[in-house]
């Protein structure tokens, strides 16, 4: 070593040494196999005293850093004179007894060693082995020497790690143990070292031991001379556990713990590179944002354990569907990303339709039959968009697929930006409207087709914003659902409708039922039934004059909970309607168990009753079945006289729609009652 790096080791003319330190960084012992220098005077002194003052602080910091770690740790110092120090923290075992954690330092120097005595390599290294048998052979590192491109010495650590004997190695090289595609890299490193083009190398290679087990070893080597002969002196560190730990940490960082799918960290740090490669090849890339509709209801109804099972089944279905053509990523909760490089617009459409069909198949989990539906947003990159833009576009398309009815797919278009801005404005204005009492209740009457009597009216929320003008319920109700505003708005509708119905009774109008739509979020509230009781009591409205309308989706996501709550309501003589029948997840096996009074046929069937004989037969079957089960049937959206006549022929009980009466404000509804009286003989 040169005096620039060290003064005290110059007198020893060190080539390779091992030092054992205590926690204060003082030398407990130090030895080298290549000369008989006296090390006694170094024991007890700070290890950093071996280097010149300009490097003292650097060495002290390295030792401190190693000691601060809780596990084995390696710290490397490269000095300007091309020497290399390795400082390692590890447990020391001497004769089977644990001697605490110490720091071991090895040094590979560049000086020539001209020994006055004839000491061969194996004999020289045996000196160290004799002193540090546990250290070198069992706990720390491998030591090897190469002369004439052949191994002339390996310690027991090397033979143990490779699973061979010393005779198997001496006179050969390491190449046969190195993975075939990495052999050239190791050969080149040794060649550069021999030619003097590099002073040392430090590289990690994958090897297979004699049993075929894969291990990762770090090889370090530098040129030197031993007894006047050129040689390569090196050490080997086992990096296998470190590699495994790194792989485990990467798996945690880049994969979802439940589904084992790549996560959004993977997208940011790995998928973006793949995307750029495809983009550079001028190929289109498709990205789908996939979402389970109303997944929260599954969690709330059946518990998170069942919800997790649904996610695992969803993962399997998605992986089966795209097979080798893309990557499935869990974006969070019930959202997944399908990354599909080189998929065209038409191929994406066919795949999306296949997924919609596949996910209509019910899941049988823990004695529960769970029906799911999905929404899909699709974006295809053809104009140089970044991956971030593609994800954003697919997410926007997903939002519109959900907003416009769910259970469908939508391709992203530039028009979505305008719609998104509109939605944001609606959300902000809706909050203001609710806080400032700008919402209003309209009432649409129901007509009994046989008595021609007004049997009740449906309470419908309406919004006429001072800035946006009249906003359709089809626009603001989904926003209220997503933002959670539907819960306070729903409660307000209930209170207002019940209070108004009581007021009309007090004015002398014939008592009627008021029908109020209940959202899924409302129905799942723990205090839903007590809230209904409290509202009826506060409004002093008899419970027989309240009808609650629920959808199939609410009832069938957790049939047991739904039945329990509905039975509690029925005890108070509150009647129940099943709304929008035929548009959701109809299951007659479950519907027959529901304690309901009315089944409402969705307007989409009524609109086709004249032109489509299939719709007509479906309606006829629904009416017949409902009567068999003891339900009355209400047809929504009746707009023409011929529709009314056919429904009457089919024995439909009640109708609701523009042909009879449109939704009206409370003042208009009062006038309607006055004009028509109790009986409407002109129908």
């Amino acid at each position: 070593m040169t005096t620039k790096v060290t003064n005290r080791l110059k007198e020893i003319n060190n080539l390779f040494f091992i030092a054992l330190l205590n926690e204060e960084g003082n030398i407990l012992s130090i030895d080298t196999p290549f000369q008989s220098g006296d090390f006694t005077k170094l024991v007890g002194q700070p290890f950093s005293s071996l280097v010149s003052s300009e490097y003292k602080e650097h060495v002290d910091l390295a030792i401190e850093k190693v000691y601060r770690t809780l596990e084995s740790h390696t710290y490397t110092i490269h000095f300007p004179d091309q020497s290399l120090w390795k400082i390692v923290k590890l447990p020391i075992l001497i004769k089977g007894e644990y001697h605490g954690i110490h720091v071991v330092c090895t040094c590979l120097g560049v000086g020539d060693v001209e020994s006055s005595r004839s000491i061969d390599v194996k004999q020289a290294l045996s000196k160290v082995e004799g002193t540090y048998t546990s250290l070198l052979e069992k706990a720390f590192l491998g030591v090897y020497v190469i002369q004439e491109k052949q191994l002339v010495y390996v310690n027991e650590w090397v033979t143990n790690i490779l699973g061979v004997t010393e005779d198997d190695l001496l006179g050969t090289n390491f190449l046969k143990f190195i993975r075939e595609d990495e052999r050239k890299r190791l050969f080149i490193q040794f060649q550069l070292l021999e030619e003097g083009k590099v002073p040392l190398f430090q590289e990690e290679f994958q090897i297979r031991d004699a049993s075929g087990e894969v291990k990762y070893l770090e090889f370090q080597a530098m040129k030197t001379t031993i007894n006047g002969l050129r040689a390569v002196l090196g050490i080997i560190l086992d990096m296998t556990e470190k590699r495994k730990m790194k792989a485990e940490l990467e798996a945690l960082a880049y994969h979802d713990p439940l589904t084992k799918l790549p996560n959004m960290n993977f997208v940011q740090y790995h998928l973006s590179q793949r995307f750029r490669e495809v983009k550079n090849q001028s190929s289109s890339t498709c990205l789908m944002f996939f979402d389970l509709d109303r997944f929260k209801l599954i969690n709330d109804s059946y518990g998170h354990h069942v919800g997790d099972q649904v996610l695992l089944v969803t993962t399997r279905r998605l992986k089966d569907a795209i097979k080798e053509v893309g990557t499935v990523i869990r974006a969070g909760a019930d959202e997944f990303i399908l990354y599909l490089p080189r998929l065209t617009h038409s191929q994406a459409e066919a795949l999306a339709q296949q997924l919609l069909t596949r996910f209509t198949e019910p899941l049988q989990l823990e004695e529960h039959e769970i029906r799911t539906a999905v929404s899909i947003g699709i974006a295809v990159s053809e104009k140089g968009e970044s991956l971030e833009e593609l994800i954003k576009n697919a997410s926007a398309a997903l939002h519109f697929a959900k907003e416009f009815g769910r259970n469908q797919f939508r391709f992203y278009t530039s028009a979505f930006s305008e719609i998104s801005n509109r939605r944001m404005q609606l959300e902000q204005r809706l909050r203001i409207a609710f806080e400032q009492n700008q919402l209003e209740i309209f009432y649409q009457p129901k007509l009994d087709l046989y008595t021609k009597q007004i049997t009740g009216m449906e309470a419908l929320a309406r919004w006429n914003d001072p800035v946006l003008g009249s906003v359709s319920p089809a626009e603001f109700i989904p926003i209220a659902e997503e933002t959670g505003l539907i819960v306070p708005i729903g409660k307000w509708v209930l209170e207002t409708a019940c209070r108004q119905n009581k007021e009309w009774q007090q004015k002398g109008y014939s008592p009627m039922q008021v029908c109020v739509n209940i959202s899924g979020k409302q129905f799942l509230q723990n205090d839903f039934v007590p809230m209904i009781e409290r509202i009826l009591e506060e409004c002093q409205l008899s419970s027989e004059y309240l009808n609650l309308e629920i959808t199939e989706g609410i009832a069938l996501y957790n049939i047991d909970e739904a039945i329990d709550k509905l039975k509690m309501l029925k005890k108070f003589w509150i009647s129940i309607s099943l709304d929008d029948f035929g548009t959701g997840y109809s299951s007659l096996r479950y519907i027959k168990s529901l304690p309901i009074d009315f089944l409402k046929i969705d307007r989409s069937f009524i609109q086709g009753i004249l032109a489509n004989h299939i719709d007509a037969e479906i309606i006829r079957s629904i009416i017949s079945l409902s009567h068999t089960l003891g339900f009355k049937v209400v047809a929504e959206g009746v707009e023409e006289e011929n529709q009314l006549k056919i429904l009457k022929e089919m024995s439909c009980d009640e109708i609701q729609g523009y042909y009879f009466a449109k939704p009206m404000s409370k003042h208009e509804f009062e006038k309607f009652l006055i004009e028509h009286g109790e009986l409407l003989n002109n129908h």
Side-chain angles (χ1 to χ4, degrees):
M1 289 187 174
T2 65
T3 55
K4 184 175 181 181
V5 176
T6 176
N7 295 319
R8 308 198 63 178
L9 291 181
K10 181 181 178 183
E11 57 193 68
I12 305 171
N13 196 19
N14 165 266
L15 174 68
F16 171 72
F17 72 84
I18 299 176
L20 196 59
L21 313 180
N22 62 16
E23 293 188 8
E24 287 73 37
N26 296 327
I27 298 172
L28 296 175
S29 62
I30 183 168
D31 205 355
T32 178
F34 296 111
Q35 77 292 306
S36 56
D38 183 11
F39 289 87
T40 307
K41 57 187 175 182
L42 298 179
V43 174
Q45 298 191 30
F47 182 69
S48 57
S49 66
L50 297 180
V51 299
S52 57
S53 57
E54 59 188 300
Y55 296 104
K56 184 177 184 300
E57 184 179 358
H58 188 58
V59 173
D60 285 336
L61 287 173
I63 294 172
E64 182 184 352
K65 180 176 181 179
V66 169
Y67 265 115
R68 279 202 306 265
T69 62
L70 297 178
E71 65 282 334
S72 296
H73 184 77
T74 302
Y75 193 87
T76 304
I77 304 175
H78 293 273
F79 287 105
D81 67 349
Q82 299 176 353
S83 62
L84 171 71
W85 290 21
K86 298 289 289 190
I87 300 176
V88 182
K89 177 180 180 181
L90 73 165
I92 300 299
L93 293 172
I94 300 177
K95 295 182 180 180
E97 295 183 6
Y98 180 66
H99 281 249
I101 292 182
H102 304 279
V103 168
V104 177
C105 176
T106 66
C107 174
L108 293 177
V110 295
D112 289 342
V113 174
E114 297 291 347
S115 176
S116 59
R117 296 185 301 162
S118 177
I119 305 175
D120 65 27
V121 172
K122 185 172 183 179
Q123 183 182 8
L125 288 169
S126 294
K127 180 179 179 182
V128 172
E129 293 177 41
T131 307
Y132 301 103
T133 299
S134 294
L135 178 62
L136 278 174
E137 303 298 359
K138 298 178 182 178
F140 184 29
L141 48 75
V143 179
Y144 65 93
V145 178
I146 296 175
Q147 286 183 320
E148 299 297 329
K149 298 184 179 180
Q150 293 183 347
L151 288 166
V152 295
Y153 171 80
V154 292
N155 67 345
E156 189 180 341
W157 188 98
V158 177
T159 59
N160 288 341
I161 200 75
L162 295 178
V164 296
T165 66
E166 184 181 88
D167 291 338
D168 293 328
L169 288 176
L170 295 183
T172 67
N173 57 45
F174 289 113
L175 290 180
K176 67 178 181 180
F177 294 97
I178 304 299
R179 199 174 69 182
E180 189 172 349
D181 60 343
E182 292 190 334
R183 290 175 185 172
K184 185 176 181 181
R185 183 160 65 92
L186 181 60
F187 177 79
I188 290 173
Q189 289 289 353
F190 276 118
Q191 190 174 34
L192 292 173
L193 193 65
E194 287 280 350
E195 295 172 355
K197 294 181 178 179
V198 295
L200 56 89
F201 75 78
Q202 178 180 346
E203 293 283 342
E204 186 177 303
F205 296 91
Q206 185 185 113
I207 66 115
R208 285 189 181 273
D209 64 16
S211 67
E213 183 181 352
V214 174
K215 295 178 179 177
Y216 295 89
L217 302 182
E218 182 183 293
F219 285 77
Q220 300 176 23
M222 67 181 355
K223 269 178 55 175
T224 187
T225 58
I226 300 177
N227 298 330
L229 299 176
R230 287 188 302 176
V232 172
L233 175 64
I235 60 176
I236 305 174
L237 297 174
D238 186 359
M239 310 300 288
T240 307
E241 289 304 316
K242 184 178 179 181
R243 270 289 192 117
K244 288 180 180 178
M245 185 178 296
K246 182 180 178 182
E248 290 173 2
L249 289 174
E250 285 190 352
L252 290 173
Y254 298 115
H255 291 80
D256 170 55
L258 173 65
T259 63
K260 310 306 179 188
L261 292 174
N263 59 18
M264 293 306 289
N265 288 334
F266 174 86
V267 172
Q268 181 178 355
Y269 294 104
H270 295 286
L271 193 64
S272 54
Q273 176 61 34
R274 298 187 198 174
F275 178 78
R276 284 192 293 269
E277 291 171 0
V278 174
K279 185 178 176 181
N280 292 336
Q281 297 170 7
S282 301
S283 300
S284 64
T285 296
C286 172
L287 193 139
M288 294 186 181
F289 230 116
F290 176 99
D291 181 84
L292 290 169
D293 293 338
R294 299 185 177 92
F295 178 72
K296 188 176 184 302
L297 278 175
I298 296 177
N299 272 337
D300 293 343
S301 302
Y302 298 104
H304 286 274
H305 174 65
V306 173
D308 286 348
Q309 294 302 310
V310 171
L311 291 174
L312 290 172
V313 173
T314 299
T315 298
R316 289 197 296 271
R317 286 181 171 181
L318 290 175
K319 292 175 74 172
D320 289 344
I322 69 172
K323 298 189 185 332
E324 303 300 323
V325 301
T327 303
V328 183
I329 297 148
R330 188 179 180 193
D334 59 325
E335 290 186 338
F336 297 81
I337 288 176
L338 307 186
Y339 175 74
L340 303 159
R342 301 179 180 86
L343 208 66
T344 64
H345 189 285
S346 59
Q347 291 171 328
E349 184 173 0
L351 176 59
Q353 188 58 60
Q354 175 189 339
L355 290 172
L356 290 180
T357 303
R358 180 74 174 89
F359 278 87
T360 58
E361 299 174 13
L363 307 178
Q364 194 68 40
L365 296 174
E366 298 186 358
E367 301 181 354
H368 300 293
E369 184 178 272
I370 299 176
R371 294 176 176 270
T372 62
V374 302
S375 299
I376 305 171
I378 311 172
V380 179
S381 172
E382 296 176 342
K383 299 178 181 179
E385 296 95 337
S386 67
L387 180 60
E388 292 75 15
E389 290 172 323
L390 200 62
I391 292 173
K392 179 183 176 182
N393 293 344
S395 179
L398 171 65
H399 168 75
F400 287 102
K402 294 178 75 68
E403 186 169 340
F404 290 96
R406 294 184 172 89
N407 195 25
Q408 60 179 293
F409 64 85
R410 287 289 182 103
F411 279 90
Y412 174 80
T413 70
S414 56
F416 284 178
S417 296
E418 295 179 12
I419 301 173
S420 294
N421 292 336
R422 164 77 174 176
R423 187 198 177 285
M424 181 62 70
Q425 189 180 27
L426 284 171
E427 181 179 331
Q428 294 173 350
R429 295 297 306 171
L430 181 58
R431 292 183 184 279
I432 295 172
F434 179 67
E435 291 169 1
Q436 298 182 357
N437 299 317
Q438 294 175 1
L439 298 179
E440 189 178 359
I441 305 295
F442 274 42
Y443 300 89
Q444 186 174 32
K446 294 194 301 179
L447 176 70
D448 186 304
L449 285 179
Y450 297 95
T451 65
K452 297 182 180 179
Q453 183 178 7
I454 300 174
T455 57
M457 64 283 192
E458 183 175 0
L460 302 165
R462 292 293 183 265
W463 177 23
N464 188 25
D465 189 79
V467 175
L468 303 174
S470 179
V471 182
S472 166
E475 264 196 303
F476 74 81
I477 294 298
I479 292 174
E481 288 273 7
E482 286 186 37
T483 59
L485 277 172
I486 195 68
V487 174
I489 289 176
K491 181 182 179 184
W492 170 79
V493 172
L494 267 167
E495 291 172 338
T496 305
C498 288
R499 190 173 292 109
Q500 182 62 64
N501 196 19
K502 180 63 177 179
E503 182 181 321
W504 281 329
Q505 290 181 15
Q506 290 173 335
K507 287 185 176 182
Y509 297 106
S510 297
M512 296 175 292
Q513 280 190 338
V514 60
C515 308
V516 180
N517 289 282
I518 302 300
S519 75
K521 284 187 171 63
Q522 279 181 286
F523 191 77
L524 290 172
Q525 296 290 309
N526 292 330
D527 65 341
F528 177 71
V529 175
M531 179 193 69
I532 298 294
E533 293 181 69
R534 187 169 57 253
I535 289 174
L536 289 172
E537 184 178 350
E538 290 174 354
C539 297
Q540 297 183 344
L541 179 68
S542 177
S543 57
E544 64 186 294
Y545 299 119
L546 175 62
N547 176 273
L548 299 179
E549 297 189 359
I550 63 171
T551 62
E552 296 174 60
I554 297 173
L556 301 186
Y557 264 120
N558 188 336
I559 188 69
D560 295 331
E561 181 181 347
I563 290 174
D564 288 343
K565 284 190 176 181
L566 294 178
K567 283 182 176 179
M568 290 174 68
L569 294 168
K570 293 283 288 179
K571 286 182 179 179
F572 299 106
W573 298 95
I574 297 171
S575 62
I576 308 295
S577 296
L578 190 64
D579 200 11
D580 298 334
F581 184 77
T583 63
Y585 316 103
S586 306
S587 174
L588 297 177
R589 181 160 65 93
Y590 288 139
I591 288 175
K592 69 179 183 180
S593 304
L594 293 174
I596 61 176
D597 303 281
F598 297 91
L599 192 148
K600 300 186 76 172
I601 302 175
D602 186 69
R603 66 181 66 248
S604 60
F605 290 100
I606 305 302
Q607 289 170 353
I609 196 172
L610 298 176
N612 190 329
H613 74 280
I614 295 178
D615 279 356
E617 288 306 314
I618 290 173
I619 293 171
R620 190 185 305 277
S621 298
I622 291 173
I623 293 172
S624 176
L625 178 63
S626 297
H627 288 164
T628 299
L629 295 174
F631 308 152
K632 286 189 174 182
V633 181
V634 181
E636 293 183 297
V638 179
E639 298 178 355
E640 301 178 19
E641 185 175 1
N642 287 337
Q643 292 173 342
L644 184 145
K645 288 181 178 179
I646 293 176
L647 288 168
K648 189 172 183 179
E649 291 172 3
M650 292 179 176
S651 301
C652 181
D653 300 290
E654 298 179 3
I655 66 161
Q656 182 179 337
Y658 273 47
Y659 178 72
F660 174 47
K662 65 178 183 178
M664 296 168 275
S665 68
K666 64 179 182 179
H667 301 297
E668 292 173 325
F669 193 78
E670 282 191 29
K671 292 181 181 179
F672 179 85
L673 292 175
I674 293 171
E675 291 173 1
H676 291 81
E678 293 186 4
L679 297 177
L680 302 171
N681 296 316
N682 57 328
H683 285 276

